Amino acid sequence: MSAAPLTLCARNLSRRFGPREVVRNVSLELRRGEVLGLLGHNGAGKSTTLQLLTGALLPHAGQIEVCGFDLARQPKQAKACIGFLPETPPLYRDMCVDDYLEFAAKLHGVPRPQIAGALAETKRRCSLQDTGQKIIGTLSKGYRQRVGIAQALIHNPEVIILDEPTVGLDPSQIRDIRTLIRELGDAHSVILSTHLLGEVESICDRVEIMHHGRLIYSDSSAHMQQYGHQPGFVVTLLAPPALAELEAIPGVLKVEPISATHFRILHTAESNCGALLLERAAERGWQAQQLTPLQTKLEDVFMHITQNEAA
Amino acid sequence: MIFTIARKEFRSLLATPSTWLFLGALQFIFAWFFLARLDAFLQVQAQLAQLANAPGVTQAVAAPLFATIALIMMMLVPVFTMRLIAEERRNRTMTLLMTAPVSSTQIVLGKFTGLLLFLLLAIAGSVLMVLSLAAGTQLDKGLIFANALGLLLLAASYAALGLYISSLTVQPVVAAIGAMAALFGLWLVEISAADGNTAWRALAPTSHFQSFNSGLLNSGDLAFFLLFSIAFLLLAMRRIHNNRIYG
């Protein structure tokens, strides 16, 4: 993975709006074939960071390089390598889909003979085949979002930057878009910002968490799910014994009663005391019903990390 | 790239029904003035014929008509310039242009060219109307050419000013009112300036149109229109660049 070439590299980006510093000293790296998820609360500075990376805003400090081109010094070459879907898709409501995508292609310097091919391919990818002649203003929100994504892909850019790409879509469309992003992630580099953690779980290779304009956590999304993980399970015993008896089982660290019949049991990582507990339950007639291992949800991890930072 | 933006601007103007409504209404007003002038001319034609150096039909009908169009342009151009940048900002479509590999110069020149093409269409309509007189009489083609060129330059300078004002705001209506106010202000400067006060008069595009209106191609006036347009286009480019800095 680390052998893949760097496609986007940002160093020490800072951006103020008046006296308020919205982005503070952010550094990012992205390689080909990677999908990076930018996570954060509302107002954490995600959209501003993405606007900095695409050249819509200039940073007050810091440097951005896209495919080896400096965004400040060679903006044309650098921007030609980027496809960007902003928070609000930049759609001209009175144009039809084909005309709009053709305009986007020309604007991004797709050579004239290749436009028809790029148009057909992009429409296929975003399942827009039937909407070519429709006026954008008459499309539903989901379709508009897809046209917005199509606009970011039409010139086949190295780096694709999507700001909350699945907002306002129905569940099946969300699935389609996620499949598409995953597919794009194989040949290109993708950055997407989101506050949907499920999205990160299902499609991102790497996660950066943003909080108050700073990146506070960065790791692979699989690792993030392990963050702060405590092995344990929840067990239902219809005829529970005294707490002391449960705590006496070897390996158990802590027993918390959730209700009269539900217990959260935390154990050490090495021991598997679940089997032992079930054995004893059968012996002593505790009437064990259900045993569910504790799973750290990304949400908990996220809350944990951002709260740690706030503290 | 300039041409791509210009073409899109031109096409989206023609795609809106209000544009056609405006063009139609405009042609109707032009035709009204045209017929009124023609009627007046026909009534005095007999007396004019007895004069030694009488004004021809071009001078008596076409020149005043073009002068009227120049005034109407003051209200017309802001209606079209208001959308150019302000509406793109309001609809958040400006991001597409800002993140595309095009410079601020190309954005501004593309939009300006697109609008100018459209205004050329509106001016061509009025010129054709005047040329229809050729069916019955001989026309002073030079005078008509000077007027058409003058109108186009006037339209260009108004469009440049309107484009700049449109780049200052997010509200198209504010852009329209602002541009109209600026143009009226310049016109008022001209008509309220004392006759000998050429410095103030020189500020107003309308006063520079007068030489074109009487059939003169004055290089000084030509230079004024070019400088006026270039100055406001440069300001608009500057403004778009500042957008990236100040957000």
Side-chain angles (χ1 to χ4, degrees), chain A residues 15 54-58 76 79-80 84 86 88 90-92 95 99-100 103 106-108 151, chain B residues 1 4-5 7-8 11 83 88 92-93 95-101 106 244-247:
Chain A
R15 169 79 209 193
T54 52
L57 279 178
L58 292 177
K76 281 191 190 174
K79 284 179 182 176
F84 180 41
T88 325
L91 306 176
Y92 296 103
M95 283 173 104
D99 285 349
Y100 172 70
F103 174 62
K106 281 186 194 162
L107 210 54
H108 285 95
Q151 161 272 127
Chain B
M1 208 53 81
T4 304
I5 299 176
R7 187 160 163 266
K8 185 245 138 202
R11 284 185 58 169
R83 300 173 62 242
E88 292 233 25
R92 309 284 181 85
T93 46
T95 329
L96 180 67
L97 295 175
M98 299 292 262
T99 58
Q106 287 170 323
R244 293 185 216 264
I245 298 174
Y246 301 112

mmCIF file of all heavy atoms in Angstrom, chain A residues 15 54-58 76 79-80 84 86 88 90-92 95 99-100 103 106-108 151, chain B residues 1 4-5 7-8 11 83 88 92-93 95-101 106 244-247:
data_model
loop_
_atom_site.group_PDB
_atom_site.id
_atom_site.type_symbol
_atom_site.label_atom_id
_atom_site.label_comp_id
_atom_site.label_asym_id
_atom_site.label_seq_id
_atom_site.Cartn_x
_atom_site.Cartn_y
_atom_site.Cartn_z
ATOM 1 N N ARG A 15 -6.448 28.219 8.176
ATOM 2 C CA ARG A 15 -7.381 29.129 7.521
ATOM 3 C C ARG A 15 -8.212 29.846 8.569
ATOM 4 O O ARG A 15 -8.748 29.204 9.469
ATOM 5 C CB ARG A 15 -8.290 28.333 6.581
ATOM 6 C CG ARG A 15 -9.458 29.084 6.028
ATOM 7 C CD ARG A 15 -9.052 29.984 4.882
ATOM 8 N NE ARG A 15 -9.940 31.137 4.823
ATOM 9 C CZ ARG A 15 -9.987 31.969 3.787
ATOM 10 N NH1 ARG A 15 -9.212 31.781 2.750
ATOM 11 N NH2 ARG A 15 -10.792 32.997 3.804
ATOM 12 N N THR A 54 -9.283 21.925 -2.712
ATOM 13 C CA THR A 54 -9.685 22.034 -4.112
ATOM 14 C C THR A 54 -9.371 23.385 -4.704
ATOM 15 O O THR A 54 -9.618 23.610 -5.885
ATOM 16 C CB THR A 54 -11.194 21.809 -4.256
ATOM 17 O OG1 THR A 54 -11.854 22.686 -3.343
ATOM 18 C CG2 THR A 54 -11.564 20.398 -3.945
ATOM 19 N N GLY A 55 -8.858 24.305 -3.888
ATOM 20 C CA GLY A 55 -8.505 25.613 -4.436
ATOM 21 C C GLY A 55 -9.660 26.596 -4.484
ATOM 22 O O GLY A 55 -9.517 27.677 -5.044
ATOM 23 N N ALA A 56 -10.805 26.251 -3.921
ATOM 24 C CA ALA A 56 -11.903 27.213 -3.878
ATOM 25 C C ALA A 56 -11.593 28.310 -2.862
ATOM 26 O O ALA A 56 -12.047 29.435 -3.000
ATOM 27 C CB ALA A 56 -13.212 26.520 -3.526
ATOM 28 N N LEU A 57 -10.822 27.967 -1.864
ATOM 29 C CA LEU A 57 -10.361 28.940 -0.883
ATOM 30 C C LEU A 57 -8.838 28.846 -0.823
ATOM 31 O O LEU A 57 -8.280 27.777 -1.037
ATOM 32 C CB LEU A 57 -10.910 28.600 0.511
ATOM 33 C CG LEU A 57 -12.330 29.003 0.856
ATOM 34 C CD1 LEU A 57 -12.659 28.510 2.255
ATOM 35 C CD2 LEU A 57 -12.506 30.497 0.769
ATOM 36 N N LEU A 58 -8.198 29.958 -0.519
ATOM 37 C CA LEU A 58 -6.749 29.913 -0.346
ATOM 38 C C LEU A 58 -6.438 29.811 1.139
ATOM 39 O O LEU A 58 -7.070 30.475 1.948
ATOM 40 C CB LEU A 58 -6.119 31.185 -0.916
ATOM 41 C CG LEU A 58 -6.197 31.341 -2.427
ATOM 42 C CD1 LEU A 58 -5.616 32.674 -2.843
ATOM 43 C CD2 LEU A 58 -5.459 30.217 -3.122
ATOM 44 N N LYS A 76 -3.670 25.506 -12.518
ATOM 45 C CA LYS A 76 -4.403 24.846 -13.608
ATOM 46 C C LYS A 76 -4.101 23.357 -13.667
ATOM 47 O O LYS A 76 -5.004 22.537 -13.740
ATOM 48 C CB LYS A 76 -4.073 25.500 -14.944
ATOM 49 C CG LYS A 76 -4.857 26.780 -15.108
ATOM 50 C CD LYS A 76 -4.782 27.319 -16.496
ATOM 51 C CE LYS A 76 -5.388 28.711 -16.476
ATOM 52 N NZ LYS A 76 -5.253 29.403 -17.732
ATOM 53 N N LYS A 79 -5.513 21.625 -10.449
ATOM 54 C CA LYS A 79 -6.968 21.498 -10.402
ATOM 55 C C LYS A 79 -7.496 20.507 -11.430
ATOM 56 O O LYS A 79 -8.566 19.929 -11.237
ATOM 57 C CB LYS A 79 -7.615 22.861 -10.623
ATOM 58 C CG LYS A 79 -7.533 23.762 -9.404
ATOM 59 C CD LYS A 79 -8.164 25.075 -9.745
ATOM 60 C CE LYS A 79 -8.078 26.037 -8.583
ATOM 61 N NZ LYS A 79 -8.617 27.337 -8.986
ATOM 62 N N ALA A 80 -6.759 20.330 -12.530
ATOM 63 C CA ALA A 80 -7.207 19.376 -13.535
ATOM 64 C C ALA A 80 -7.196 17.950 -12.971
ATOM 65 O O ALA A 80 -7.871 17.067 -13.495
ATOM 66 C CB ALA A 80 -6.329 19.475 -14.776
ATOM 67 N N PHE A 84 -14.404 17.550 -7.648
ATOM 68 C CA PHE A 84 -14.922 18.002 -6.358
ATOM 69 C C PHE A 84 -16.444 18.057 -6.361
ATOM 70 O O PHE A 84 -17.050 18.604 -7.264
ATOM 71 C CB PHE A 84 -14.352 19.390 -6.051
ATOM 72 C CG PHE A 84 -14.803 19.976 -4.735
ATOM 73 C CD1 PHE A 84 -14.888 19.193 -3.590
ATOM 74 C CD2 PHE A 84 -15.129 21.316 -4.641
ATOM 75 C CE1 PHE A 84 -15.293 19.740 -2.382
ATOM 76 C CE2 PHE A 84 -15.528 21.872 -3.435
ATOM 77 C CZ PHE A 84 -15.609 21.076 -2.304
ATOM 78 N N PRO A 86 -19.016 19.662 -3.905
ATOM 79 C CA PRO A 86 -19.198 20.427 -2.672
ATOM 80 C C PRO A 86 -20.460 19.994 -1.931
ATOM 81 O O PRO A 86 -21.223 19.161 -2.425
ATOM 82 C CB PRO A 86 -19.317 21.868 -3.149
ATOM 83 C CG PRO A 86 -19.297 21.841 -4.621
ATOM 84 C CD PRO A 86 -19.277 20.440 -5.096
ATOM 85 N N THR A 88 -23.261 21.599 -1.387
ATOM 86 C CA THR A 88 -24.397 21.792 -2.277
ATOM 87 C C THR A 88 -23.885 21.522 -3.681
ATOM 88 O O THR A 88 -22.975 22.204 -4.117
ATOM 89 C CB THR A 88 -24.875 23.259 -2.216
ATOM 90 O OG1 THR A 88 -24.693 23.727 -0.896
ATOM 91 C CG2 THR A 88 -26.292 23.391 -2.648
ATOM 92 N N PRO A 90 -22.991 21.883 -7.317
ATOM 93 C CA PRO A 90 -23.049 23.116 -8.105
ATOM 94 C C PRO A 90 -23.766 22.893 -9.428
ATOM 95 O O PRO A 90 -23.144 22.750 -10.466
ATOM 96 C CB PRO A 90 -21.569 23.444 -8.338
ATOM 97 C CG PRO A 90 -20.880 22.132 -8.300
ATOM 98 C CD PRO A 90 -21.687 21.228 -7.421
ATOM 99 N N LEU A 91 -25.087 22.859 -9.391
ATOM 100 C CA LEU A 91 -25.851 22.528 -10.589
ATOM 101 C C LEU A 91 -26.576 23.747 -11.128
ATOM 102 O O LEU A 91 -27.147 24.510 -10.367
ATOM 103 C CB LEU A 91 -26.885 21.447 -10.259
ATOM 104 C CG LEU A 91 -26.350 20.175 -9.615
ATOM 105 C CD1 LEU A 91 -27.487 19.252 -9.261
ATOM 106 C CD2 LEU A 91 -25.379 19.482 -10.542
ATOM 107 N N TYR A 92 -26.531 23.893 -12.446
ATOM 108 C CA TYR A 92 -27.327 24.945 -13.089
ATOM 109 C C TYR A 92 -28.703 24.367 -13.340
ATOM 110 O O TYR A 92 -28.877 23.474 -14.166
ATOM 111 C CB TYR A 92 -26.685 25.375 -14.394
ATOM 112 C CG TYR A 92 -25.340 26.019 -14.198
ATOM 113 C CD1 TYR A 92 -24.170 25.334 -14.464
ATOM 114 C CD2 TYR A 92 -25.253 27.316 -13.715
ATOM 115 C CE1 TYR A 92 -22.929 25.927 -14.255
ATOM 116 C CE2 TYR A 92 -24.024 27.912 -13.505
ATOM 117 C CZ TYR A 92 -22.879 27.218 -13.781
ATOM 118 O OH TYR A 92 -21.663 27.801 -13.573
ATOM 119 N N MET A 95 -30.335 23.917 -16.914
ATOM 120 C CA MET A 95 -29.690 23.156 -17.992
ATOM 121 C C MET A 95 -30.144 21.709 -17.943
ATOM 122 O O MET A 95 -30.551 21.217 -16.899
ATOM 123 C CB MET A 95 -28.167 23.191 -17.809
ATOM 124 C CG MET A 95 -27.518 24.473 -18.226
ATOM 125 S SD MET A 95 -25.781 24.455 -17.787
ATOM 126 C CE MET A 95 -25.027 24.151 -19.367
ATOM 127 N N ASP A 99 -26.136 18.555 -21.236
ATOM 128 C CA ASP A 99 -25.454 19.828 -21.494
ATOM 129 C C ASP A 99 -24.573 20.209 -20.313
ATOM 130 O O ASP A 99 -23.458 20.691 -20.483
ATOM 131 C CB ASP A 99 -26.485 20.946 -21.720
ATOM 132 C CG ASP A 99 -27.132 20.839 -23.079
ATOM 133 O OD1 ASP A 99 -26.627 20.034 -23.883
ATOM 134 O OD2 ASP A 99 -28.132 21.538 -23.326
ATOM 135 N N TYR A 100 -25.113 19.978 -19.124
ATOM 136 C CA TYR A 100 -24.371 20.350 -17.926
ATOM 137 C C TYR A 100 -23.083 19.545 -17.806
ATOM 138 O O TYR A 100 -22.003 20.094 -17.573
ATOM 139 C CB TYR A 100 -25.252 20.149 -16.686
ATOM 140 C CG TYR A 100 -24.494 20.337 -15.403
ATOM 141 C CD1 TYR A 100 -24.062 21.591 -15.009
ATOM 142 C CD2 TYR A 100 -24.182 19.249 -14.594
ATOM 143 C CE1 TYR A 100 -23.357 21.769 -13.851
ATOM 144 C CE2 TYR A 100 -23.479 19.418 -13.419
ATOM 145 C CZ TYR A 100 -23.065 20.682 -13.053
ATOM 146 O OH TYR A 100 -22.345 20.850 -11.903
ATOM 147 N N PHE A 103 -20.583 20.603 -20.288
ATOM 148 C CA PHE A 103 -19.942 21.855 -19.867
ATOM 149 C C PHE A 103 -18.864 21.577 -18.823
ATOM 150 O O PHE A 103 -17.748 22.094 -18.912
ATOM 151 C CB PHE A 103 -21.009 22.810 -19.326
ATOM 152 C CG PHE A 103 -20.465 24.077 -18.736
ATOM 153 C CD1 PHE A 103 -19.751 24.976 -19.525
ATOM 154 C CD2 PHE A 103 -20.672 24.389 -17.405
ATOM 155 C CE1 PHE A 103 -19.255 26.151 -18.993
ATOM 156 C CE2 PHE A 103 -20.178 25.560 -16.856
ATOM 157 C CZ PHE A 103 -19.468 26.442 -17.658
ATOM 158 N N LYS A 106 -15.803 20.075 -20.516
ATOM 159 C CA LYS A 106 -15.007 21.063 -21.251
ATOM 160 C C LYS A 106 -14.251 21.964 -20.288
ATOM 161 O O LYS A 106 -13.094 22.302 -20.503
ATOM 162 C CB LYS A 106 -15.928 21.929 -22.114
ATOM 163 C CG LYS A 106 -16.368 21.256 -23.387
ATOM 164 C CD LYS A 106 -17.148 22.253 -24.203
ATOM 165 C CE LYS A 106 -17.908 21.566 -25.309
ATOM 166 N NZ LYS A 106 -18.973 22.437 -25.825
ATOM 167 N N LEU A 107 -14.935 22.331 -19.219
ATOM 168 C CA LEU A 107 -14.337 23.219 -18.231
ATOM 169 C C LEU A 107 -13.096 22.580 -17.617
ATOM 170 O O LEU A 107 -12.129 23.245 -17.285
ATOM 171 C CB LEU A 107 -15.374 23.489 -17.151
ATOM 172 C CG LEU A 107 -15.343 24.809 -16.413
ATOM 173 C CD1 LEU A 107 -15.369 25.961 -17.394
ATOM 174 C CD2 LEU A 107 -16.529 24.899 -15.479
ATOM 175 N N HIS A 108 -13.132 21.237 -17.488
ATOM 176 C CA HIS A 108 -11.991 20.547 -16.898
ATOM 177 C C HIS A 108 -11.005 20.071 -17.944
ATOM 178 O O HIS A 108 -10.149 19.250 -17.662
ATOM 179 C CB HIS A 108 -12.470 19.373 -16.047
ATOM 180 C CG HIS A 108 -13.054 19.818 -14.750
ATOM 181 N ND1 HIS A 108 -14.395 20.006 -14.571
ATOM 182 C CD2 HIS A 108 -12.480 20.149 -13.574
ATOM 183 C CE1 HIS A 108 -14.618 20.421 -13.347
ATOM 184 N NE2 HIS A 108 -13.476 20.517 -12.717
ATOM 185 N N GLN A 151 -20.485 15.022 -12.191
ATOM 186 C CA GLN A 151 -19.711 16.216 -12.544
ATOM 187 C C GLN A 151 -18.284 16.126 -12.006
ATOM 188 O O GLN A 151 -17.341 16.591 -12.639
ATOM 189 C CB GLN A 151 -20.486 17.418 -11.997
ATOM 190 C CG GLN A 151 -19.751 18.704 -11.816
ATOM 191 C CD GLN A 151 -19.089 18.788 -10.462
ATOM 192 O OE1 GLN A 151 -17.897 19.045 -10.372
ATOM 193 N NE2 GLN A 151 -19.824 18.553 -9.393
ATOM 194 N N MET B 1 -11.261 28.033 -23.480
ATOM 195 C CA MET B 1 -11.948 27.984 -22.188
ATOM 196 C C MET B 1 -12.882 29.178 -22.023
ATOM 197 O O MET B 1 -14.014 29.035 -21.549
ATOM 198 C CB MET B 1 -10.902 27.991 -21.079
ATOM 199 C CG MET B 1 -11.375 27.294 -19.824
ATOM 200 S SD MET B 1 -11.999 25.627 -20.124
ATOM 201 C CE MET B 1 -10.476 24.708 -20.194
ATOM 202 N N THR B 4 -15.869 28.418 -24.003
ATOM 203 C CA THR B 4 -16.759 27.449 -23.358
ATOM 204 C C THR B 4 -17.696 28.148 -22.375
ATOM 205 O O THR B 4 -18.913 27.899 -22.367
ATOM 206 C CB THR B 4 -15.914 26.412 -22.579
ATOM 207 O OG1 THR B 4 -14.990 25.825 -23.474
ATOM 208 C CG2 THR B 4 -16.790 25.346 -21.963
ATOM 209 N N ILE B 5 -17.128 29.038 -21.566
ATOM 210 C CA ILE B 5 -17.949 29.746 -20.578
ATOM 211 C C ILE B 5 -18.910 30.696 -21.290
ATOM 212 O O ILE B 5 -20.090 30.791 -20.933
ATOM 213 C CB ILE B 5 -17.049 30.504 -19.577
ATOM 214 C CG1 ILE B 5 -16.168 29.503 -18.831
ATOM 215 C CG2 ILE B 5 -17.875 31.311 -18.597
ATOM 216 C CD1 ILE B 5 -15.172 30.131 -17.900
ATOM 217 N N ARG B 7 -20.178 30.438 -24.271
ATOM 218 C CA ARG B 7 -21.224 29.681 -24.947
ATOM 219 C C ARG B 7 -22.291 29.246 -23.946
ATOM 220 O O ARG B 7 -23.487 29.347 -24.198
ATOM 221 C CB ARG B 7 -20.592 28.468 -25.619
ATOM 222 C CG ARG B 7 -21.545 27.705 -26.472
ATOM 223 C CD ARG B 7 -20.824 26.832 -27.467
ATOM 224 N NE ARG B 7 -21.759 25.849 -27.979
ATOM 225 C CZ ARG B 7 -21.894 24.638 -27.479
ATOM 226 N NH1 ARG B 7 -21.128 24.253 -26.485
ATOM 227 N NH2 ARG B 7 -22.773 23.798 -27.976
ATOM 228 N N LYS B 8 -21.817 28.796 -22.784
ATOM 229 C CA LYS B 8 -22.766 28.352 -21.753
ATOM 230 C C LYS B 8 -23.616 29.528 -21.287
ATOM 231 O O LYS B 8 -24.832 29.395 -21.105
ATOM 232 C CB LYS B 8 -21.973 27.761 -20.593
ATOM 233 C CG LYS B 8 -22.813 27.148 -19.523
ATOM 234 C CD LYS B 8 -22.679 27.894 -18.240
ATOM 235 C CE LYS B 8 -24.005 28.049 -17.559
ATOM 236 N NZ LYS B 8 -24.016 29.151 -16.638
ATOM 237 N N ARG B 11 -26.125 30.445 -24.048
ATOM 238 C CA ARG B 11 -27.204 29.458 -24.156
ATOM 239 C C ARG B 11 -28.145 29.516 -22.971
ATOM 240 O O ARG B 11 -29.350 29.341 -23.118
ATOM 241 C CB ARG B 11 -26.607 28.051 -24.284
ATOM 242 C CG ARG B 11 -26.052 27.803 -25.663
ATOM 243 C CD ARG B 11 -25.578 26.395 -25.817
ATOM 244 N NE ARG B 11 -26.647 25.431 -25.564
ATOM 245 C CZ ARG B 11 -26.554 24.148 -25.827
ATOM 246 N NH1 ARG B 11 -25.457 23.690 -26.367
ATOM 247 N NH2 ARG B 11 -27.530 23.331 -25.578
ATOM 248 N N ARG B 83 -27.377 38.605 -13.116
ATOM 249 C CA ARG B 83 -27.307 37.170 -12.839
ATOM 250 C C ARG B 83 -25.876 36.649 -12.926
ATOM 251 O O ARG B 83 -25.550 35.637 -12.311
ATOM 252 C CB ARG B 83 -28.183 36.409 -13.840
ATOM 253 C CG ARG B 83 -29.633 36.806 -13.781
ATOM 254 C CD ARG B 83 -30.429 36.159 -14.886
ATOM 255 N NE ARG B 83 -30.423 34.713 -14.800
ATOM 256 C CZ ARG B 83 -29.930 33.902 -15.719
ATOM 257 N NH1 ARG B 83 -29.389 34.409 -16.795
ATOM 258 N NH2 ARG B 83 -29.972 32.615 -15.561
ATOM 259 N N GLU B 88 -24.777 32.973 -9.499
ATOM 260 C CA GLU B 88 -23.923 31.786 -9.350
ATOM 261 C C GLU B 88 -23.492 31.615 -7.903
ATOM 262 O O GLU B 88 -23.381 30.511 -7.392
ATOM 263 C CB GLU B 88 -22.679 31.915 -10.222
ATOM 264 C CG GLU B 88 -23.002 31.863 -11.687
ATOM 265 C CD GLU B 88 -22.176 30.821 -12.398
ATOM 266 O OE1 GLU B 88 -21.734 29.865 -11.745
ATOM 267 O OE2 GLU B 88 -21.975 30.989 -13.606
ATOM 268 N N ARG B 92 -24.706 28.647 -5.330
ATOM 269 C CA ARG B 92 -23.506 27.864 -5.010
ATOM 270 C C ARG B 92 -22.930 27.153 -6.232
ATOM 271 O O ARG B 92 -22.310 26.106 -6.099
ATOM 272 C CB ARG B 92 -23.813 26.795 -3.943
ATOM 273 C CG ARG B 92 -24.497 27.315 -2.725
ATOM 274 C CD ARG B 92 -23.482 28.054 -1.867
ATOM 275 N NE ARG B 92 -24.085 28.572 -0.663
ATOM 276 C CZ ARG B 92 -24.237 27.871 0.455
ATOM 277 N NH1 ARG B 92 -23.792 26.644 0.503
ATOM 278 N NH2 ARG B 92 -24.787 28.411 1.499
ATOM 279 N N THR B 93 -23.178 27.689 -7.413
ATOM 280 C CA THR B 93 -22.599 27.052 -8.597
ATOM 281 C C THR B 93 -21.220 27.638 -8.900
ATOM 282 O O THR B 93 -20.485 27.093 -9.707
ATOM 283 C CB THR B 93 -23.491 27.240 -9.833
ATOM 284 O OG1 THR B 93 -23.888 28.597 -9.897
ATOM 285 C CG2 THR B 93 -24.713 26.374 -9.729
ATOM 286 N N THR B 95 -18.713 27.480 -7.191
ATOM 287 C CA THR B 95 -17.677 26.517 -6.799
ATOM 288 C C THR B 95 -17.178 25.728 -8.005
ATOM 289 O O THR B 95 -16.004 25.401 -8.092
ATOM 290 C CB THR B 95 -18.238 25.522 -5.771
ATOM 291 O OG1 THR B 95 -19.219 26.179 -5.010
ATOM 292 C CG2 THR B 95 -17.152 24.997 -4.884
ATOM 293 N N LEU B 96 -18.112 25.407 -8.916
ATOM 294 C CA LEU B 96 -17.712 24.639 -10.098
ATOM 295 C C LEU B 96 -16.637 25.394 -10.874
ATOM 296 O O LEU B 96 -15.623 24.813 -11.277
ATOM 297 C CB LEU B 96 -18.939 24.389 -10.994
ATOM 298 C CG LEU B 96 -18.676 23.603 -12.250
ATOM 299 C CD1 LEU B 96 -18.293 22.179 -11.930
ATOM 300 C CD2 LEU B 96 -19.882 23.606 -13.161
ATOM 301 N N LEU B 97 -16.853 26.701 -11.053
ATOM 302 C CA LEU B 97 -15.880 27.496 -11.801
ATOM 303 C C LEU B 97 -14.607 27.708 -10.987
ATOM 304 O O LEU B 97 -13.505 27.682 -11.519
ATOM 305 C CB LEU B 97 -16.481 28.853 -12.163
ATOM 306 C CG LEU B 97 -17.665 28.806 -13.132
ATOM 307 C CD1 LEU B 97 -18.256 30.190 -13.315
ATOM 308 C CD2 LEU B 97 -17.234 28.247 -14.471
ATOM 309 N N MET B 98 -14.779 27.899 -9.677
ATOM 310 C CA MET B 98 -13.615 28.194 -8.841
ATOM 311 C C MET B 98 -12.698 26.981 -8.700
ATOM 312 O O MET B 98 -11.492 27.147 -8.521
ATOM 313 C CB MET B 98 -14.057 28.628 -7.444
ATOM 314 C CG MET B 98 -14.910 29.876 -7.428
ATOM 315 S SD MET B 98 -13.993 31.317 -7.912
ATOM 316 C CE MET B 98 -13.611 31.966 -6.316
ATOM 317 N N THR B 99 -13.255 25.781 -8.741
ATOM 318 C CA THR B 99 -12.404 24.598 -8.576
ATOM 319 C C THR B 99 -12.008 23.988 -9.913
ATOM 320 O O THR B 99 -11.257 23.029 -9.945
ATOM 321 C CB THR B 99 -13.104 23.520 -7.729
ATOM 322 O OG1 THR B 99 -14.329 23.171 -8.363
ATOM 323 C CG2 THR B 99 -13.397 24.009 -6.334
ATOM 324 N N ALA B 100 -12.539 24.525 -11.009
ATOM 325 C CA ALA B 100 -12.144 24.020 -12.324
ATOM 326 C C ALA B 100 -10.813 24.658 -12.711
ATOM 327 O O ALA B 100 -10.467 25.722 -12.196
ATOM 328 C CB ALA B 100 -13.215 24.372 -13.348
ATOM 329 N N PRO B 101 -10.068 24.008 -13.588
ATOM 330 C CA PRO B 101 -8.782 24.601 -13.989
ATOM 331 C C PRO B 101 -8.952 25.797 -14.916
ATOM 332 O O PRO B 101 -8.500 25.781 -16.049
ATOM 333 C CB PRO B 101 -8.054 23.440 -14.674
ATOM 334 C CG PRO B 101 -9.120 22.487 -15.089
ATOM 335 C CD PRO B 101 -10.266 22.683 -14.161
ATOM 336 N N GLN B 106 -10.280 34.125 -17.112
ATOM 337 C CA GLN B 106 -11.096 33.381 -18.074
ATOM 338 C C GLN B 106 -12.564 33.391 -17.679
ATOM 339 O O GLN B 106 -13.441 33.476 -18.542
ATOM 340 C CB GLN B 106 -10.590 31.943 -18.181
ATOM 341 C CG GLN B 106 -9.284 31.855 -18.938
ATOM 342 C CD GLN B 106 -8.665 30.481 -18.844
ATOM 343 O OE1 GLN B 106 -8.735 29.825 -17.812
ATOM 344 N NE2 GLN B 106 -8.054 30.044 -19.919
ATOM 345 N N ARG B 244 -11.477 33.959 -3.212
ATOM 346 C CA ARG B 244 -10.722 32.804 -2.726
ATOM 347 C C ARG B 244 -9.998 33.143 -1.437
ATOM 348 O O ARG B 244 -9.745 32.290 -0.618
ATOM 349 C CB ARG B 244 -9.674 32.389 -3.756
ATOM 350 C CG ARG B 244 -10.233 31.839 -5.022
ATOM 351 C CD ARG B 244 -9.076 31.375 -5.878
ATOM 352 N NE ARG B 244 -9.335 31.619 -7.274
ATOM 353 C CZ ARG B 244 -9.826 30.713 -8.089
ATOM 354 N NH1 ARG B 244 -10.118 29.527 -7.656
ATOM 355 N NH2 ARG B 244 -10.034 30.999 -9.353
ATOM 356 N N ILE B 245 -9.665 34.421 -1.298
ATOM 357 C CA ILE B 245 -8.910 34.814 -0.110
ATOM 358 C C ILE B 245 -9.829 35.041 1.079
ATOM 359 O O ILE B 245 -9.567 34.583 2.174
ATOM 360 C CB ILE B 245 -8.087 36.089 -0.403
ATOM 361 C CG1 ILE B 245 -7.094 35.799 -1.513
ATOM 362 C CG2 ILE B 245 -7.370 36.552 0.850
ATOM 363 C CD1 ILE B 245 -6.340 36.988 -1.985
ATOM 364 N N TYR B 246 -10.949 35.751 0.827
ATOM 365 C CA TYR B 246 -11.805 36.113 1.960
ATOM 366 C C TYR B 246 -12.981 35.191 2.137
ATOM 367 O O TYR B 246 -13.701 35.288 3.119
ATOM 368 C CB TYR B 246 -12.288 37.558 1.806
ATOM 369 C CG TYR B 246 -11.151 38.524 1.733
ATOM 370 C CD1 TYR B 246 -10.872 39.216 0.568
ATOM 371 C CD2 TYR B 246 -10.318 38.706 2.822
ATOM 372 C CE1 TYR B 246 -9.796 40.078 0.492
ATOM 373 C CE2 TYR B 246 -9.242 39.566 2.750
ATOM 374 C CZ TYR B 246 -8.984 40.248 1.588
ATOM 375 O OH TYR B 246 -7.923 41.092 1.513
ATOM 376 N N GLY B 247 -13.217 34.293 1.201
ATOM 377 C CA GLY B 247 -14.291 33.316 1.338
ATOM 378 C C GLY B 247 -15.649 33.894 1.024
ATOM 379 O O GLY B 247 -15.803 35.030 0.702
#
